[in-house]
């Protein structure tokens, strides 16, 4: 063809991490059709939707059945009822967010990928290792990415020391995928002070906030000054089992402004142009997930997963294998044994224990030599995987 393409795609790593895992698992199971493979790799959930979520969906389906209550296109940013439900969710944690600063979408991944549309060619700071979507979506847009190493030495929580530029776009993920590290209020305050001093923007991914235990901030807006420098993106995927149902939100405070434009207005314009809203049925389901009853049910599922995290952690502790996470995060981040690389360890566990995890190197160069296990499996599968790993490691 004679068309010009987006040449930046040539700079993206060959295959998306989870596609490569799927390829290797599929090759292994084709060669070993009797192997009973346990997947503790991709971060998908296994608990079904909760009763109040399903009841709300069913009620919404009934409404869609009748001409007098049928709904067509939803507002691009979400119905008032869901924007208000999200605002109440923040208010329960003492945080004030106006419903018109909340933009409901079909997933945090979409928002994280799309937010680059409203930003220019800034220097992008991304923790390493982290959820790969931040890097890939910026590379696709031709942006210059610099990495913030997250290592055992800094507790997997990089800080702004040593940064002397300005006008950065800084991605943060807390609790972190994959390391499970969570920023304290004091550490966030330091980042916020840095961002405000240097005119930088923080994009804060709080997709795993429901897994936080103890007195750590669930939202960057729990810390003073964040409204002047941060966008927050959150999701019901892991909290409410919405990985297949799809609902998330992005908060763009009205204080955020650059080059004479309000970022809130820009995001509104971007969504109105390229997004046609979340299905009514899903918005009602999300509203139910955020209700007091829905939250109680969701937290039961969170506890279920955290019990899986506990049994994985216990096994690693008993083996003397270094790991982090598993207390305020569904992920356990462990050091590969015997000096293996991440992908060597992946193949080793796949072949010798038929257990699938995620190679740390897939999350960034600093993830090399590490491995991620998730607690999102069923209790039974997790117990079986732990028994196999106990024997192998
Ligand atoms: N952010 C992080 C850190 C994630 O790990 C994930 C999914 O694994 C997402 C966002 C995507 O969330 P969603 O399912 O809402 O697109």
């Amino acid at each position: 063809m004679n068309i010009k393409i987006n040449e930046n795609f040539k700079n993206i790593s060959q295959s998306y991490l989870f596609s490569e895992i799927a390829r290797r698992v599929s090759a292994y199971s084709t060669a070993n059709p009797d192997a009973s493979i346990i997947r503790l790799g991709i971060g998908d959930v296994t608990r079904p939707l909760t009763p109040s979520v399903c009841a709300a969906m069913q009620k919404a389906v009934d409404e869609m059945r009748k001409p007098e209550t049928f709904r067509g296109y939803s507002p691009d940013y979400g119905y008032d009822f869901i924007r208000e439900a999200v605002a109440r969710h923040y208010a329960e944690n003492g945080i004030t967010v106006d419903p018109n600063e909340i933009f409901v979408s079909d997933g945090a991944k979409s928002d994280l990928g799309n937010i680059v549309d409203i930003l220019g060619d800034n220097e992008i700071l991304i923790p390493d290792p982290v959820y790969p979507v931040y890097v890939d979506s910026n590379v696709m847009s031709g942006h210059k990415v610099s990495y913030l190493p997250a290592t055992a030495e800094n507790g997997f929580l990089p800080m702004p020391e040593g940064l002397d530029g300005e006008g950065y776009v800084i991605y943060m993920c807390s609790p972190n995928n994959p390391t499970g590290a969570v920023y304290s209020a004091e550490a966030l305050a330091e980042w916020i002070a840095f961002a405000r001093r240097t005119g930088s923007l923080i994009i804060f991914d709080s997709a795993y906030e429901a897994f936080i235990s103890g007195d750590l901030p669930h939202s960057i807006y729990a810390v003073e000054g964040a409204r002047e420098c941060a966008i927050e993106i959150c999701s019901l995927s892991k909290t409410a089992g919405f990985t297949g149902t799809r609902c998330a939100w992005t908060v763009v405070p009205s204080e955020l402004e650059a080059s004479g434009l309000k970022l809130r207005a820009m995001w509104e314009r971007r969504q109105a142009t390229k997004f046609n809203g979340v299905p009514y049925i899903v918005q009602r389901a999300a509203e139910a997930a955020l209700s007091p009853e829905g939250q109680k049910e969701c937290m039961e599922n969170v506890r279920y997963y955290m019990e899986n995290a506990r049994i994985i952690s216990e096994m690693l502790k008993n083996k003397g294998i270094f790991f982090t996470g598993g207390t305020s995060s569904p992920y356990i981040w462990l050091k590969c044994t015997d000096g293996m690389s991440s992908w060597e360890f992946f193949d080793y566990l796949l072949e010798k224990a038929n257990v699938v995890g995620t190679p740390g190197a897939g999350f960034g160069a600093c993830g090399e030599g590490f491995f991620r296990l998730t607690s999102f499996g069923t209790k039974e599968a997790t117990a079986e995987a732990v028994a196999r790993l106990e024997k192998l490691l």
Side-chain angles (χ1 to χ4, degrees):
M1 295 173 85
N2 285 328
I3 58 156
K4 294 195 181 81
I5 55 155
N6 180 349
E7 297 282 336
N8 297 316
F9 274 67
K10 293 181 178 165
N11 301 326
I12 303 168
S13 59
Q14 258 314 307
S15 79
Y16 183 60
L17 170 64
F18 296 108
S19 327
E20 177 59 18
I21 292 174
R23 194 191 63 73
R24 291 195 191 204
V25 173
S26 154
Y28 181 81
S29 45
T30 308
N32 302 275
D34 296 332
S36 112
I37 293 173
I38 302 178
R39 288 177 168 77
L40 300 184
I42 193 160
D44 204 353
V45 296
T46 49
R47 302 294 300 150
L49 295 177
T50 69
S52 49
V53 165
C54 292
M57 279 179 125
Q58 261 150 357
K59 184 161 173 271
V61 169
D62 284 339
E63 288 177 48
M64 294 296 269
R65 222 193 287 277
K66 299 177 204 136
E68 61 277 19
T69 47
F70 167 78
R71 314 253 185 156
Y73 287 122
S74 105
D76 299 318
Y77 325 121
Y79 284 104
D80 287 347
F81 69 77
I82 184 68
R83 299 178 97 185
E84 281 158 14
V86 174
R88 272 197 305 278
H89 182 65
Y90 278 102
E92 278 152 22
N93 288 310
I95 295 165
T96 306
V97 177
D98 193 278
N100 77 16
E101 296 172 322
I102 296 164
F103 296 85
V104 176
S105 78
D106 64 347
K109 189 184 200 175
S110 317
D111 289 355
L112 287 159
N114 294 332
I115 200 82
V116 292
D117 277 7
I118 67 163
L119 302 172
D121 193 9
N122 300 289
E123 182 164 355
I124 313 290
L125 299 179
I126 299 184
D128 171 8
V130 87
Y131 183 54
V133 171
Y134 314 158
V135 173
D136 288 353
S137 49
N138 276 289
V139 173
M140 279 177 195
S141 298
H143 295 163
K144 178 175 178 299
V145 172
S146 302
Y147 295 96
L148 299 167
T151 59
E153 288 67 43
N154 61 21
F156 300 97
L157 294 168
M159 295 302 295
E161 282 112 49
L163 294 169
D164 53 11
E166 51 185 41
Y168 295 110
V169 173
I170 307 158
Y171 285 78
M172 300 180 79
C173 180
S174 179
N176 182 274
N177 174 10
T179 67
V182 189
Y183 279 106
S184 65
E186 294 71 29
L188 286 183
E190 244 184 82
W191 270 113
I192 290 166
F194 171 80
R196 294 182 67 185
R197 196 172 63 246
T198 58
S200 300
L201 171 71
I202 294 174
I203 298 177
F204 191 80
D205 182 345
S206 58
Y208 296 96
E209 60 87 16
F211 294 83
I212 292 176
S213 64
D215 194 20
L216 291 161
H218 287 241
S219 160
I220 194 161
Y221 304 122
V223 182
E224 218 185 302
R227 286 184 58 89
E228 281 76 27
C229 63
I231 286 175
E232 179 162 290
I233 298 179
C234 193
S235 168
L236 289 176
S237 280
K238 312 299 161 86
T239 311
F242 272 46
T243 52
T245 304
R246 314 300 305 144
C247 195
W249 64 81
T250 287
V251 178
V252 189
S254 43
E255 285 86 340
L256 301 180
E257 188 175 330
S259 292
L261 286 185
K262 293 274 187 195
L263 268 50
R264 200 200 74 80
M266 290 177 75
W267 184 243
E268 191 171 82
R269 189 73 177 85
R270 191 266 167 221
Q271 291 298 80
T273 303
K274 297 193 185 179
F275 182 62
N276 243 345
V278 176
Y280 173 68
I281 297 162
V282 171
Q283 293 192 47
R284 282 296 185 198
E287 180 190 31
L290 292 170
S291 71
E293 185 57 24
Q295 283 292 287
K296 219 167 83 198
E297 294 167 348
C298 289
M299 290 319 288
E300 270 167 38
N301 287 342
V302 166
R303 277 192 291 276
Y304 175 101
Y305 295 130
M306 292 314 284
E307 173 57 18
N308 288 343
R310 193 190 63 76
I311 68 164
I312 299 171
S313 305
E314 278 303 305
M315 181 269 295
L316 295 171
K317 255 186 231 155
N318 292 341
K319 293 273 166 191
I321 296 170
F322 174 85
F323 73 97
T324 60
T327 49
S328 281
S329 142
Y331 296 122
I332 288 144
W333 181 244
L334 61 126
K335 187 112 188 74
C336 301
T337 57
D338 297 326
M340 274 186 257
S341 74
S342 298
W343 280 106
E344 277 167 354
F345 195 66
F346 174 88
D347 290 333
Y348 179 65
L349 295 198
L350 176 61
E351 284 160 25
K352 305 285 184 210
N354 295 169
V355 170
V356 178
T358 313
F363 296 99
C366 292
E368 182 53 276
F370 284 88
F371 200 73
R372 191 193 78 176
L373 291 173
T374 101
S375 58
F376 284 131
T378 64
K379 184 177 166 187
E380 296 72 24
T382 307
E384 172 60 23
V386 165
R388 291 185 198 174
L389 295 179
E390 188 130 45
K391 264 196 225 141
L392 179 70
L393 296 176

